[in-house]
Amino acid sequence: MSTHSAAQLIGGRSHQCDATATYTHQGRRAYALLDGIGSTEEVRTWTRTAARRLARAAARAGALEGLQEIHAARAAELAEEGWRAQDMPMAVAVVAVTEPGKGLDVAWCGDARAYLLPTSSDRLERLTTDHNMRQVLTDMGVEPGPYARNRVTSYLGDTSPHAPLGSVQVPGRGRLVLASDGAYEPLEDAELAISDYVTGSTRRAARALVKAAIAHADGRADNATALIADLSDS
């Protein structure tokens, strides 16, 4: 099982549109983090609900299966709305699932990230690959522009037939870190090691990470959210 904590700072946004949730089902625990696209009351409300739904679905069915379930449900809702769908709330997401005696199961869409600090190491390992234009251009060998990272290529409900959903399974002992782009981008831009901010208790680590992100953000800081869990036997 595990101990976990989450922390959020609103940054320069009008609304906090990131959300986290956890859910446990028959010994399987899911940790979910969503980053809402936009900054409105509607996006905030929907993202909070969707985070709970994703955590519940992933705890019951597994990380990728749960993500696929919530993604498909939202895609159907957006398709039903037709042209009005462009004004409906959307979000990127990452979800991690642990189960006693098994590894760590992670799935994601968009640029929310999962990291793992293994028990026997001080090296923070990134488990996810961003779904945004920066990554697309990098994979093509093209130097991405400064705003390429702001265009995601996958999100909950994306109706594109080629929208990627990522998944990975790794040994699950250590410290799990889920982070929105507002939590990791400012530190990477400042060439600071994220691992330096995720030590101590999970509560202290989550707070330290988001505070550092806001402190190092250039211009208007984004919502910064982190969920940190210590996985003792998963």
Side-chain angles (χ1 to χ4, degrees):
M1 296 304 291
S2 67
T3 59
H4 70 277
S5 299
Q8 295 185 303
L9 288 174
I10 195 170
R13 296 282 187 169
S14 60
H15 296 76
Q16 175 55 267
C17 294
D18 294 348
T20 64
T22 64
Y23 192 87
T24 303
H25 176 72
Q26 296 181 350
R28 184 189 292 131
R29 176 170 290 180
Y31 306 90
L33 184 150
L34 270 65
D35 181 351
I37 299 173
S39 188
T40 67
E41 181 67 29
E42 185 180 14
V43 172
R44 177 172 64 182
T45 299
W46 178 80
T47 302
R48 290 176 176 178
T49 299
R52 293 192 294 269
R53 289 174 176 168
L54 176 57
R56 183 167 57 247
R60 293 178 179 276
L64 180 58
E65 293 81 357
L67 184 67
Q68 289 172 329
E69 177 184 327
I70 302 304
H71 173 80
R74 190 55 174 170
E77 292 170 352
L78 296 178
E80 195 172 293
E81 291 297 320
W83 63 270
R84 292 183 295 271
Q86 63 184 346
D87 297 321
M88 294 177 65
M90 304 171 192
V92 300
V94 60
V95 61
V97 176
T98 66
E99 186 173 358
K102 296 187 177 180
L104 177 65
D105 190 13
V106 179
W108 71 96
C109 60
D111 57 2
R113 290 183 181 176
Y115 301 84
L116 184 68
L117 185 64
T119 302
S120 58
S121 173
D122 59 0
R123 180 175 174 271
L124 192 67
E125 300 174 2
R126 175 146 65 103
L127 305 179
T128 55
T129 301
D130 297 338
H131 297 150
N132 57 22
M133 282 306 300
R134 176 178 59 187
Q135 189 64 51
V136 170
L137 293 172
T138 298
D139 290 344
M140 294 171 59
V142 177
E143 181 68 24
Y147 301 106
R149 68 191 186 192
N150 296 332
R151 181 182 170 190
V152 295
T153 56
S154 182
Y155 54 85
L156 286 178
D158 190 346
T159 56
S160 167
H162 304 296
L165 296 180
S167 66
V168 67
Q169 293 182 328
V170 298
R173 293 178 64 88
R175 172 159 286 190
L176 171 70
V177 179
L178 304 185
S180 65
D181 64 341
Y184 65 77
E185 289 282 11
L187 300 180
E188 289 193 344
D189 289 347
E191 299 183 347
L192 297 171
I194 294 173
S195 57
D196 291 345
Y197 299 93
V198 295
T199 59
S201 69
T202 58
R203 182 181 182 186
R204 176 180 177 181
R207 289 182 173 182
L209 181 57
V210 298
K211 287 177 66 176
I214 297 299
H216 288 90
D218 291 331
R220 188 179 71 165
D222 196 0
N223 295 158
T225 298
L227 189 159
I228 297 180
D230 283 336
L231 313 177
S232 59
D233 184 19
S234 55

